[in-house]
Amino acid sequence: MRFINCAKPYNCPVFYIIRADVGQTLKYRYLCPHCHLFYHFCSKIIMQFTISATDTASNARAATFQTAHGAIETPIFMPVGTLGTVKGVHQQELHDAVSAQIILGNTYHLYLRPGLEVLKSAGGLHKFNGWNKPILTDSGGYQVYSLAHRRKITEEGVKFQSHIDGSRHLFTPENVMDIQRTIGADIIMAFDECTPYPCDYTYARKSLGLTHRWLKRCINRFDATQAHYGYPQYLFPIVQGSVYKDLRMKSAEKIASFDRVGNAIGGLSVGEPAEDMYAMTDVVCNILPADKPRYLMGVGTPVNILECIALGIDMFDCVMPTRNARHGMLFTSEGIIHIKNKKWECDFSPIDANCPAPTSQNHSKAYLRHLFKAGELLALQIASLHNLAFYLWLVGEARKQIINGTFYAWKNKMVPRLQTKL
Amino acid sequence: MRFINCAKPYNCPVFYIIRADVGQTLKYRYLCPHCHLFYHFCSKIIMQFTISATDTASNARAATFQTAHGAIETPIFMPVGTLGTVKGVHQQELHDAVSAQIILGNTYHLYLRPGLEVLKSAGGLHKFNGWNKPILTDSGGYQVYSLAHRRKITEEGVKFQSHIDGSRHLFTPENVMDIQRTIGADIIMAFDECTPYPCDYTYARKSLGLTHRWLKRCINRFDATQAHYGYPQYLFPIVQGSVYKDLRMKSAEKIASFDRVGNAIGGLSVGEPAEDMYAMTDVVCNILPADKPRYLMGVGTPVNILECIALGIDMFDCVMPTRNARHGMLFTSEGIIHIKNKKWECDFSPIDANCPAPTSQNHSKAYLRHLFKAGELLALQIASLHNLAFYLWLVGEARKQIINGTFYAWKNKMVPRLQTKL
């Protein structure tokens, strides 16, 4: 997809090509209907997803995904920035200490606060929050599903009440595309129903039909509308189907048939056993096209991430590193630490000497424990920064191991260590 | 003051000189009673407080105060780090974005949490919290006074109950010196009674007597004990006397007579009118020696600080910039901002383009307002960082103006601007 703007004072995005093939050289002459001038341009559309290495012992791969806000090297973990901020972490820290390459925003939350008018006036979320690398927004499907008795699902969409003031709203596949256009994320997600766990087969099958019909409506709306801020956005459809293999296969085939830039797997990590998560991920990864990124939504622990990289997943997000950090649970290169425990009171060794965050190397476990016991804000800051930097370190190491051809053995060595309770 | 260690394996601080005059060259031969070896050293004690410039139109001065953890350029504002952390601000941010030169710790709080055993094991507060510039600790006098019905003042000291678990403790002038030796601050404060406002003359006079008797006990204990961590500490006595000129004069004369490295003024900014604060500060500054730093405790607003610099104060501390920040009140170069107000909802101008903190330059008022409205941690982080960086910018500007000989006119121009409600 490619944009040009017409001359000032119009300066509006007047032209774009939908779904031009990557790698193709384009030559255009275009008459702008606003300023009545001809524009010429010639452009080679760069590869959006380039695989650098694949693992021989597993389905893991290392790749690069290009966006208007920069390249994403996969496998990647995406810190969750629900309300336009990753909780407790400055944007500069995300960049420098965490080495985040892409962060998430939540459509449901951003729609309610600060609201679309503010985001539009700001020129989109990137300008609003000052994060100039890629952003992905979820569709709000998961959040409205979480509202339980405050929402009603119909064919049209989901009626729900705001958790803030009880005000009533309607999300449809169409307006969720419009909202995500306004937020301005680089990657936007289809509006789906995220089934709970457990979920009986009949409900899962019916829900899947709805998700697929909504997807068609999402695509129609997305392709009929333009990006607001002069850079392209990509729509990822989402595979659903609960823990039922046949539904997951059917859904993966359906999603693959739309041939979008990337694909996602939703409805996992919602309480099912890890084996079910891995089994469903495996089934779906074998159907989703290998030449497009695969994003496993809402996953998970460090071990989940390594196992699912082995199954062919490229992108992950999860609130776990930040949420657990705020409760004093640290993921480290040696295992799991509950930092509030008495045993760390006089342990003056670094929080994690292998973690790239300077605060994890320079501050001791004893100091961080003290900050938690004293209820200090800095406790949440240091712990959140640590867990995120550790997650990014872990996926970065996985990438290196894939490129070196040593991923599978490394993963099998890491898994027991990552689960150790220190 | 100067230390040497005896040879390993003893490596204990075996020798020090109390109160060697600055500027003096010392030559020593010393027989260590532990390892039975002679040690020779020669050292020129550097000037501790060097005045670079004095204002002709006021009593303001720009100076440099040397400590073992580095030089402090005055006038200076000291961020308050009650529990070994400035709330919501990483140490690296204090260094890089705030340009803090010295921070405070609170004896009362650190004594309760993490406690002296932890601090001693860590090797003192600097090593514990990773702040390797100067630290000043208050004596706990203000905190135990604030406990109201949870404390009892006697000639011996103050019995009080912990605000955390109700446990009973006793602070005396002697053990407060010992505690501050263990914390390891560069500058430690005398244990005093901080009188409330209003305070009747009789009580203020009696209290002052107690404060002076306690000071003598503090000095005796301080001079009879050694620093724990191999670098010198300095004890600052505190002028009290409520809002009574004669008591303040008497106290200032008494405090000056002890001829310590620096002197402090306490018991102001406790609710009295600003004119009383200025009047008392003026009276005291005219008595305290000009060749030693003067520290006005717990002050204040940006305007208070400029006015008191004009009266001859060199050092300030206050919780206001961080506490008010957490409530959404920002001090800026253009005036005061209540960032939660609706008027900032779509104001995409920088928080304060003149503030050296990158977050104040790069984030908009609208974004910070959104973070506050959404209850995000990052709101507290950005606002705290901003207010502190602004305070340090302000005292840094004051210093430049003093050196340029333009302080008084600049101060009179700034005062109305700093009070403007935006």
Side-chain angles (χ1 to χ4, degrees), chain A residues 83-85 87-91 93 113-114 118 121-122 128-129 345-346 348 359 363 366-367 370-371 373-374 376-378 380-382, chain B residues 83-85 87-91 93 113-114 118 121-122 128-129 345-346 348 359 363 366-367 370-371 373-374 376-378 380-382:
Chain A
L83 274 151
T85 153
K87 292 188 191 305
V89 185
H90 288 285
Q91 273 75 324
E93 293 176 320
R113 284 188 305 208
V118 173
S121 306
F128 186 60
N129 73 359
E345 188 176 31
C346 282
F348 300 108
T359 43
H363 286 306
Y367 181 58
H370 159 66
L371 295 177
K373 298 303 280 184
E376 283 289 339
L377 283 176
L378 194 60
L380 314 181
Q381 294 173 241
I382 293 174
Chain B
L83 274 149
T85 154
K87 292 189 192 303
V89 184
H90 287 285
Q91 274 76 324
E93 293 175 320
R113 285 188 304 207
V118 172
S121 306
F128 186 60
N129 72 0
E345 187 176 32
C346 282
F348 301 108
T359 43
H363 287 306
Y367 181 59
H370 159 67
L371 295 177
K373 298 303 280 184
E376 284 288 340
L377 283 176
L378 195 59
L380 314 182
Q381 294 173 241
I382 293 173

Side-chain angles (χ1 to χ4, degrees), chain B residues 330-367:
Chain B
L330 307 180
F331 300 100
T332 80
S333 56
E334 301 299 325
I336 293 164
I337 289 177
H338 290 277
I339 197 70
K340 293 183 198 173
N341 287 353
K342 180 85 174 168
K343 71 180 288 190
W344 310 113
E345 187 176 32
C346 282
D347 187 325
F348 301 108
S349 66
I351 295 167
D352 187 352
N354 294 322
C355 176
T359 43
S360 302
Q361 292 175 20
N362 300 339
H363 287 306
S364 67
K365 297 179 181 85
Y367 181 59

Side-chain angles (χ1 to χ4, degrees), chain A residues 319-371:
Chain A
V319 294
M320 190 178 277
T322 39
R323 181 175 292 166
N324 289 23
R326 295 197 299 278
H327 293 103
M329 182 179 173
L330 307 180
F331 300 100
T332 80
S333 57
E334 301 299 323
I336 293 165
I337 288 177
H338 290 277
I339 197 68
K340 294 183 198 173
N341 287 352
K342 180 84 175 169
K343 71 179 290 190
W344 309 114
E345 188 176 31
C346 282
D347 187 325
F348 300 108
S349 65
I351 294 166
D352 187 353
N354 293 321
C355 177
T359 43
S360 302
Q361 292 175 21
N362 300 341
H363 286 306
S364 67
K365 297 179 180 83
Y367 181 58
L368 183 54
R369 176 184 187 270
H370 159 66
L371 295 177

Side-chain angles (χ1 to χ4, degrees), chain A residues 106-127:
Chain A
N106 286 113
T107 291
Y108 166 82
H109 289 287
L110 291 166
Y111 162 80
L112 294 176
R113 284 188 305 208
L116 300 183
E117 282 311 305
V118 173
L119 288 169
K120 203 170 178 177
S121 306
L125 182 57
H126 291 87
K127 290 208 172 151

Side-chain angles (χ1 to χ4, degrees), chain A residues 364-413:
Chain A
S364 67
K365 297 179 180 83
Y367 181 58
L368 183 54
R369 176 184 187 270
H370 159 66
L371 295 177
F372 267 103
K373 298 303 280 184
E376 283 289 339
L377 283 176
L378 194 60
L380 314 181
Q381 294 173 241
I382 293 174
S384 300
L385 193 54
H386 167 76
N387 276 356
L388 287 178
F390 171 72
Y391 265 61
L392 267 292
W393 171 85
L394 187 69
V395 294
E397 282 298 302
R399 181 180 162 88
K400 281 185 204 160
Q401 300 287 341
I402 295 166
I403 291 170
N404 289 343
T406 50
F407 172 76
Y408 198 69
W410 172 80
K411 182 212 71 155
N412 289 340
K413 191 186 74 183

Side-chain angles (χ1 to χ4, degrees), chain A residues 59-287:
Chain A
N59 288 324
R61 66 262 191 88
T64 304
F65 182 59
Q66 298 286 349
T67 77
H69 287 95
I72 302 159
E73 296 195 324
T74 67
I76 193 70
F77 179 81
M78 306 182 281
V80 178
T82 308
L83 274 151
T85 153
V86 174
K87 292 188 191 305
V89 185
H90 288 285
Q91 273 75 324
Q92 198 62 45
E93 293 176 320
L94 282 176
H95 186 279
D96 297 344
V98 173
S99 299
Q101 297 182 40
I102 170 171
I103 64 171
L104 252 70
N106 286 113
T107 291
Y108 166 82
H109 289 287
L110 291 166
Y111 162 80
L112 294 176
R113 284 188 305 208
L116 300 183
E117 282 311 305
V118 173
L119 288 169
K120 203 170 178 177
S121 306
L125 182 57
H126 291 87
K127 290 208 172 151
F128 186 60
N129 73 359
W131 174 254
N132 60 11
K133 290 191 163 191
I135 296 177
L136 180 152
T137 38
D138 75 357
S139 64
Y142 181 80
Q143 276 72 30
V144 292
Y145 141 74
S146 309
L147 290 172
H149 42 266
R150 282 189 166 188
R151 54 102 176 121
K152 191 172 178 224
I153 302 174
T154 65
E155 187 66 32
E156 185 192 14
V158 182
K159 285 183 182 160
F160 63 93
Q161 281 186 274
S162 156
H163 72 288
I164 304 163
D165 59 7
S167 57
R168 289 169 196 279
H169 305 268
L170 171 68
F171 271 179
T172 66
E174 290 79 11
N175 75 9
V176 165
M177 293 302 100
D178 297 346
I179 293 168
Q180 291 184 89
R181 286 287 198 197
T182 301
I183 296 172
D186 300 271
I187 301 171
I188 79 178
M189 301 305 298
F191 189 61
D192 62 340
E193 187 190 358
C194 180
T195 48
Y197 181 86
C199 174
D200 69 50
Y201 184 84
T202 312
Y203 188 88
R205 187 172 50 78
K206 281 190 185 167
S207 167
L208 187 60
L210 184 70
T211 284
H212 290 168
R213 291 192 298 280
W214 281 359
L215 174 58
K216 191 74 192 77
R217 288 165 59 191
C218 285
I219 288 174
N220 288 344
R221 182 61 154 240
F222 181 82
D223 288 349
T225 54
Q226 298 182 16
H228 294 344
Y229 310 113
Y231 55 84
Q233 298 177 286
Y234 305 113
L235 171 63
F236 280 24
I238 303 170
V239 173
Q240 288 288 350
S242 189
V243 291
Y244 304 106
K245 189 177 171 184
D246 64 322
L247 297 183
R248 285 284 174 183
M249 289 174 75
K250 186 180 157 191
S251 184
E253 279 155 12
K254 180 83 174 174
I255 265 60
S257 74
F258 285 107
D259 194 26
R260 306 303 298 194
V261 167
N263 300 295
I265 308 172
L268 292 176
S269 197
V270 291
E272 78 285 359
E275 304 82 64
D276 286 349
M277 182 207 301
Y278 299 149
M280 293 302 110
T281 301
D282 193 26
V283 162
V284 172
C285 282
N286 284 320
I287 297 171

